[in-house]
Amino acid sequence: MSLNFVFIGAGNLATHLSQAIVKSGNNLLQVYSRTESSAKELAEKLNTSYTTSLNEINIDADIYFVALADSAFSEILPQINFQNKLVVHCSGSLPLSVLEKYSANFGVFYPLQTFSKQREVNFAEIPVFIEANSKENEAVLFQIGRQVSNSVTILNSEKRKYLHIAAVFACNFVNHFYTISAEILKEKEIPFDVLKPLILETAKKVQEIEPVKAQTGPAVRFDENIISSHLEELKGVRNFAELYKSISKSIFEFQQQSE
Amino acid sequence: MSLNFVFIGAGNLATHLSQAIVKSGNNLLQVYSRTESSAKELAEKLNTSYTTSLNEINIDADIYFVALADSAFSEILPQINFQNKLVVHCSGSLPLSVLEKYSANFGVFYPLQTFSKQREVNFAEIPVFIEANSKENEAVLFQIGRQVSNSVTILNSEKRKYLHIAAVFACNFVNHFYTISAEILKEKEIPFDVLKPLILETAKKVQEIEPVKAQTGPAVRFDENIISSHLEELKGVRNFAELYKSISKSIFEFQQQSE
């Protein structure tokens, strides 16, 4: 079964998801974005049309995918007449119910990954979490999910919110520590390249070993000499000493508990 | 040139480094550890002898590798007579000079990686940082470094300390966030497996894109609705809300600066 889609939003997630859906043999009728350059770029890539005007959104789609920043929902969605077609959002943190005022048919399609436009991802490996207002809509989303991914799970809004929080720690906060380490190296003119094998191995390790058991380094031993010498070095460098202290403390507490 | 080694210490680092050195055609004469089970395990793996007694340390080695916790140096090293043989430590945070009272020949051999005994690593890909008290000793360490790794860099003690701090952020602190995310999922009975592709992709991304440019998620947009809803959910769960807040703030400050 081939379905007709419209994408509301043309950011990182929209770019990758719409591509995967088209590859699976569905039709992308149109891309909408407030930002013309984004709408145009994605539409051209997928050989379809685009609009920046809410009045011109194609009314013939079977499914409308909403891939907007959470904060844009309440501004943009009331201006679209979905005619009770299936409307689906892709947000980890918003509940299913935010869509109930816009259509009689609605659902959530949440692919758990970090997307950047310039980076290819293998969509098949991305876990997708779905939820819908009815068994029928759930079945439609499940089918689309299986077309693009090997892993599709039905998950309610409350659990999805926690999943999103966990992802913020495991991805955004992790990436921030990569950023901090890059900053520390830059000040000493050491190339960031030297950290790359360590970063990759740290991520690979927890593919096999439970993270709490994979922990190494001064904080897990609570090596006070190293910790206080590091704090001394970080003094006055942004808020790094403060972060270093609170995280070392947190690591030690966790390890104590898990032993 | 094949050299004779003794390893003082039989932990994670000693296990992997001694193995790599033996594989390169050198001779491991002996392993010392206070913990008999560790000494025995490593010695048996590499078909050599071991001791738990400092008086019985083999005096015929060309090089003594000290792979101890930093805090054990001052207790153990004064009890060994190194007869001015080359003594080498593997610590990121201790300066070269901590060894000067134990021998006339000394150096540092710091492989930048996270080691766990149960996990194989490809030593050739690990960047090694060396430092020595003389050009001659530096040349010996450089040669050993090149036998085991594709990347050997001469780095002084001060820079090595910062490299170590950067590694604590990029590995130990990162792993702690994996641990926290696992904990959050456990409470909601969601398997940690679902985060594994995200964790791997986050690490792979910064192999190619600068970390500050790879950042995604609510903090980079400073999406206050999401952030405050996440803080609400984390209330009372250990110190997670506090960590969440300080790191989100830090991410936002970084992004503002880099734009």
Side-chain angles (χ1 to χ4, degrees):
Chain A
M1 180 184 69
S2 166
L3 293 163
N4 296 316
F5 289 82
V6 163
F7 259 80
I8 318 283
N12 294 330
L13 168 63
T15 298
H16 288 281
L17 178 56
S18 61
Q19 234 169 315
I21 286 176
V22 168
K23 261 194 200 160
S24 310
N26 298 292
N27 310 315
L28 181 61
L29 301 185
Q30 189 187 40
V31 173
Y32 162 84
S33 170
R34 281 182 287 195
T35 316
E36 183 163 5
S37 59
S38 303
K40 194 177 172 202
E41 190 189 341
L42 180 55
E44 283 180 354
K45 189 182 270 178
L46 295 176
N47 205 14
T48 188
S49 64
Y50 69 91
T51 181
T52 58
S53 158
L54 290 166
N55 306 322
E56 291 171 8
I57 284 182
N58 191 312
I59 57 168
D60 298 325
D62 304 303
I63 306 186
Y64 292 82
F65 264 88
V66 181
L68 297 169
D70 292 7
S71 51
F73 274 56
S74 57
E75 192 199 324
I76 290 183
L77 297 190
Q79 301 184 56
I80 308 175
N81 180 1
F82 290 112
Q83 303 172 96
N84 287 332
K85 301 286 187 60
L86 180 51
V87 180
V88 180
H89 80 62
C90 306
S91 160
S93 44
L94 290 180
L96 171 66
S97 59
V98 295
L99 296 176
E100 68 192 1
K101 48 187 169 232
Y102 308 118
S103 175
N105 295 291
F106 50 98
V108 179
F109 190 99
Y110 177 54
L112 185 64
Q113 190 49 282
T114 168
F115 297 103
S116 293
K117 282 185 189 176
Q118 69 268 47
R119 237 187 105 71
E120 289 296 314
V121 289
N122 180 2
F123 219 99
E125 290 171 4
I126 300 174
V128 171
F129 298 87
I130 61 167
E131 188 183 13
N133 75 310
S134 70
K135 289 266 180 263
E136 290 70 26
N137 290 329
E138 186 183 281
V140 173
L141 292 185
F142 192 84
Q143 191 197 333
I144 301 166
R146 289 294 288 126
Q147 286 177 349
V148 298
S149 168
N150 299 327
S151 162
V152 182
T153 309
I154 295 160
L155 197 78
N156 68 32
S157 293
E158 202 240 340
K159 286 194 174 189
R160 189 175 58 254
K161 190 178 227 179
Y162 280 92
L163 178 59
H164 186 224
I165 295 176
V168 166
F169 275 94
C171 169
N172 307 149
F173 289 1
V174 157
N175 188 75
H176 189 51
F177 282 174
Y178 300 156
T179 309
I180 289 179
S181 64
E183 188 76 9
I184 292 170
L185 293 184
K186 207 166 94 187
E187 287 199 14
K188 299 290 158 185
E189 292 169 335
I190 302 170
F192 180 67
D193 279 354
V194 302
L195 280 184
K196 289 178 178 174
L198 178 65
I199 284 172
L200 206 53
E201 170 64 10
T202 305
K204 281 184 180 169
K205 235 173 153 173
V206 296
Q207 309 289 312
E208 288 164 27
I209 307 174
E210 220 185 311
V212 72
K213 290 184 183 146
Q215 191 58 280
T216 57
V220 64
R221 306 185 296 266
F222 211 72
D223 190 323
E224 289 186 52
N225 286 332
I226 298 190
I227 292 173
S228 60
S229 117
H230 284 177
L231 287 173
E232 189 59 36
E233 304 293 331
L234 289 174
K235 235 182 219 170
V237 193
R238 303 191 187 221
N239 62 340
F240 292 173
E242 189 193 307
L243 281 176
Y244 187 103
K245 207 168 173 175
S246 59
I247 291 158
S248 294
K249 192 168 152 270
S250 182
I251 291 176
F252 185 65
E253 286 166 3
F254 255 81
Q255 295 291 332
Q256 292 285 87
Q257 277 195 356
S258 76
E259 269 162 19
Chain B
M1 181 184 70
S2 167
L3 292 163
N4 297 315
F5 289 81
V6 163
F7 258 81
I8 318 284
N12 294 330
L13 168 63
T15 298
H16 288 280
L17 179 56
S18 61
Q19 234 170 314
I21 285 176
V22 166
K23 261 194 200 159
S24 310
N26 299 291
N27 310 314
L28 180 62
L29 302 185
Q30 190 187 41
V31 173
Y32 161 86
S33 170
R34 281 183 288 196
T35 315
E36 181 161 7
S37 60
S38 303
K40 193 177 173 202
E41 190 189 342
L42 181 54
E44 282 179 355
K45 189 181 271 178
L46 294 176
N47 204 17
T48 188
S49 64
Y50 70 91
T51 180
T52 59
S53 158
L54 289 167
N55 306 322
E56 290 171 10
I57 285 181
N58 190 312
I59 59 169
D60 298 325
D62 302 304
I63 307 186
Y64 292 82
F65 264 87
V66 181
L68 298 169
D70 292 7
S71 51
F73 275 55
S74 58
E75 192 198 325
I76 290 182
L77 297 191
Q79 300 184 57
I80 308 175
N81 180 0
F82 290 111
Q83 304 171 96
N84 288 330
K85 300 285 187 60
L86 181 50
V87 180
V88 179
H89 80 60
C90 306
S91 160
S93 44
L94 289 180
L96 171 65
S97 60
V98 294
L99 296 176
E100 66 192 1
K101 47 187 172 235
Y102 307 119
S103 174
N105 295 290
F106 50 98
V108 178
F109 191 99
Y110 177 54
L112 185 65
Q113 189 50 284
T114 167
F115 297 104
S116 294
K117 282 184 190 176
Q118 68 269 45
R119 235 187 106 72
E120 289 296 314
V121 290
N122 180 1
F123 218 100
E125 289 172 5
I126 300 174
V128 172
F129 297 88
I130 60 168
E131 187 183 12
N133 75 309
S134 70
K135 289 265 177 264
E136 290 71 25
N137 290 329
E138 187 184 281
V140 172
L141 292 184
F142 191 85
Q143 192 195 333
I144 301 167
R146 288 294 288 127
Q147 286 177 352
V148 298
S149 169
N150 299 327
S151 160
V152 183
T153 309
I154 295 160
L155 198 76
N156 68 32
S157 293
E158 201 240 340
K159 285 194 173 188
R160 189 175 58 253
K161 190 178 226 177
Y162 279 92
L163 178 59
H164 186 223
I165 295 175
V168 165
F169 275 94
C171 168
N172 307 147
F173 290 0
V174 157
N175 187 76
H176 188 52
F177 281 173
Y178 299 156
T179 308
I180 289 178
S181 64
E183 188 76 10
I184 291 169
L185 293 184
K186 207 166 93 186
E187 286 198 16
K188 299 291 157 184
E189 292 169 335
I190 302 170
F192 180 67
D193 279 356
V194 302
L195 280 184
K196 289 178 178 175
L198 178 65
I199 284 173
L200 207 52
E201 170 64 9
T202 305
K204 281 184 180 169
K205 234 172 155 177
V206 296
Q207 309 289 313
E208 287 164 28
I209 306 174
E210 220 185 314
V212 72
K213 289 182 183 148
Q215 191 59 278
T216 57
V220 64
R221 307 185 295 266
F222 210 72
D223 190 322
E224 289 186 54
N225 286 331
I226 298 190
I227 291 173
S228 60
S229 118
H230 283 177
L231 286 173
E232 191 58 35
E233 303 293 332
L234 289 173
K235 235 182 220 172
V237 193
R238 301 194 189 222
N239 62 341
F240 292 173
E242 188 191 308
L243 280 177
Y244 187 102
K245 207 169 174 175
S246 59
I247 290 159
S248 293
K249 193 169 152 268
S250 182
I251 291 176
F252 184 65
E253 286 166 5
F254 255 80
Q255 295 291 331
Q256 292 285 87
Q257 278 195 354
S258 77
E259 267 162 19

